[in-house]
Amino acid sequence: MAANLKYFRYAIGLSSLMFVALAFAEGGVALLPLAMVLAIMELAVSFDNAIVNAKVMERMSPFWRQAFITVGIFIAVFGMRFYLPIQIVSWLGGLSLSEASRLAYADPGRFAQILISSHAIVSGFGGAFLMMIFLKFFIDSEREGNWLPGVESVLGHLGHLEGIQILITGVAAGFTAYLMPEGKGVAFFVAAMAGIGTHITVDLIKEGLEAIDLRMQERSSATGGQALATGGLGMFLYLEIFDASMSFDGVIAAFAITNNILVVAVGLGVGAVFVRSLTLLFFDTKSLAEYRYLEPGAFWAIGGLSAFMFIAAVTHVPEWLISAYGGAVIVIAFIHSVVANRGDSARNAGLGLSEAVERKIGSPEASRASA
């Protein structure tokens, strides 16, 4: 346990600096407890994020893994939790970026109101992108090791149908849009189509760069040189957009709690930093191999989040319910993995004992033959 704490030294140090900067900017520590609450909320809903990150990092070169942990932190904290809300308000409010920035400080209530009004668009894009990720994982005819054999087997068989993920996501988005008021429904559906298109584009870029990377590595092996791991760039982009989709809803929910953009950026940013530390922990300790159901559990949590984002576009969904669902799925997957591992150990021990007895007294068949 103590050995695992080293993974959080960086997160603790950076988070402390961010809290100090917030206290300095706001002239006191009165807002620190609220920022800490947002950090805990972000961490609670992002365990599945860390698990998926760790799995994708297994296919990245050391260079791109380091880029994701360092440069990716800057993008996650300042890009997604600070810049993105300002950019959304700029788009929706018909304001320049500088005017939207001034509005965040001069009239935070109005800023939050404009941002929250974007919920349908954010839910459409983020929900569709995450649903595509969820379906791409389970709709795979070659996938092995089901956690929920019944439903996962059915989804696996759908892998023979080309583009079925797009059809399912599009139908779900269309039905959700149908239930919404006409103006918001159209905006939601267009955003959902953009989410589907973004997933397809990023996936094509990722696969294309991986193919280039493979050819470069084969050529460098033949010549004895070293190749730049270009494939890691595609996976880096994939993870950053995945993180953005996971964080969209959290940013909107945070502004429903407080309209102070610095508190939101610091609180959610601290949570994002700890998620990166969890990612490193899962990657280095090979936890996904040891706890076999964590990975499918994470994707079920992502699928649930995408469904909640679609539902939230039609009616209010409490943030605690979304957090509770994601946390419960991960905990159940972890416990089931532990139970399964103990069962395997018991069976292996039984087989070992049986083989030892046979060596000692001989097998029943051999005894009968000698008789």
Side-chain angles (χ1 to χ4, degrees):
M1 184 68 178
N4 292 337
L5 292 177
K6 67 180 181 181
Y7 292 99
F8 297 95
R9 291 173 185 167
Y10 169 74
I12 293 171
L14 184 56
S15 299
S16 299
L17 288 176
M18 293 170 68
F19 283 136
V20 169
L22 175 62
F24 180 80
E26 295 295 330
V29 298
L31 294 175
L32 289 186
L34 183 55
M36 292 178 184
V37 169
L38 293 179
I40 294 170
M41 182 182 77
E42 175 75 2
L43 186 59
V45 300
S46 299
F47 271 90
D48 48 354
N49 193 346
I51 293 169
V52 174
N53 289 348
K55 186 64 178 180
V56 175
M57 279 177 61
E58 293 176 2
R59 298 160 57 196
M60 297 170 74
S61 69
F63 172 83
W64 285 108
R65 285 200 295 266
Q66 188 65 29
F68 176 66
I69 297 300
T70 53
V71 178
I73 280 290
F74 178 83
I75 296 173
V77 175
F78 297 101
M80 302 304 170
R81 276 82 177 175
F82 183 77
Y83 168 78
L84 185 60
I86 295 175
Q87 183 64 71
I88 290 175
V89 170
S90 173
W91 286 333
L92 295 181
L95 306 171
S96 67
L97 201 59
S98 60
E99 290 172 335
S101 300
R102 285 195 295 271
L103 186 65
Y105 296 100
D107 192 353
R110 175 62 179 156
F111 181 90
Q113 183 182 7
I114 296 175
L115 184 64
I116 293 173
S117 71
S118 72
H119 188 253
I121 298 173
V122 168
S123 296
F125 181 92
F129 187 87
L130 294 178
M131 188 171 291
M132 290 287 290
I133 291 175
F134 163 75
L135 292 174
K136 182 177 176 61
F137 178 80
F138 286 109
I139 299 180
D140 182 356
S141 57
E142 298 179 358
R143 180 176 170 268
E144 299 177 351
N146 291 335
W147 180 35
L148 305 176
V151 64
E152 290 180 18
S153 296
V154 172
L155 289 172
H157 289 313
L158 293 177
H160 298 290
L161 302 176
E162 191 71 26
I164 188 66
Q165 302 98 322
I166 300 172
L167 177 62
I168 293 174
T169 306
V171 169
F175 180 71
T176 304
Y178 173 76
L179 298 176
M180 299 172 66
E182 185 175 347
K184 289 187 176 181
V186 172
F188 173 90
F189 187 75
V190 170
M193 293 303 101
I196 294 173
T198 300
H199 182 274
I200 295 171
T201 302
V202 173
D203 216 34
L204 288 173
I205 292 173
K206 178 166 64 73
E207 292 177 3
L209 290 175
E210 286 176 355
I212 294 172
D213 185 42
L214 181 61
R215 287 197 295 270
M216 291 177 67
Q217 288 177 353
E218 290 174 350
R219 190 177 302 147
S220 65
S221 298
T223 59
Q226 291 185 341
L228 175 66
T230 55
L233 173 61
M235 285 176 276
F236 176 83
L237 294 174
Y238 173 84
L239 286 180
E240 289 304 324
I241 297 176
F242 170 63
D243 176 72
S245 299
M246 293 286 287
S247 66
F248 277 154
D249 214 39
V251 171
I252 300 296
F255 272 96
I257 296 172
T258 175
N259 55 25
N260 188 313
I261 191 171
L262 288 181
V263 175
V264 171
V266 170
L268 300 185
V270 166
V273 170
F274 275 91
V275 170
R276 287 298 199 278
S277 295
L278 275 176
T279 297
L280 274 179
L281 174 62
F282 291 149
F283 175 79
D284 286 349
T285 59
K286 307 301 180 187
S287 297
L288 300 186
E290 181 178 357
Y291 302 104
R292 69 190 77 174
Y293 298 129
L294 273 183
E295 185 182 7
F299 279 95
W300 277 113
I302 290 169
L305 176 59
S306 70
F308 278 128
M309 291 179 78
F310 275 21
I311 295 170
V314 178
T315 185
H316 174 68
V317 178
E319 190 68 25
W320 66 264
L321 180 60
I322 300 174
S323 303
Y325 167 79
V329 170
I330 298 301
V331 169
I332 293 170
F334 174 77
I335 294 173
H336 195 182
S337 299
V338 172
V339 172
N341 289 344
R342 289 178 179 175
D344 289 346
S345 299
R347 281 191 293 273
N348 292 336
L351 289 173
L353 179 60
S354 176
E355 291 173 356
V357 170
E358 285 186 7
R359 285 195 299 269
K360 184 71 175 178
I361 65 175
S363 66
E365 292 79 4
S367 299
R368 284 194 295 272
S370 62

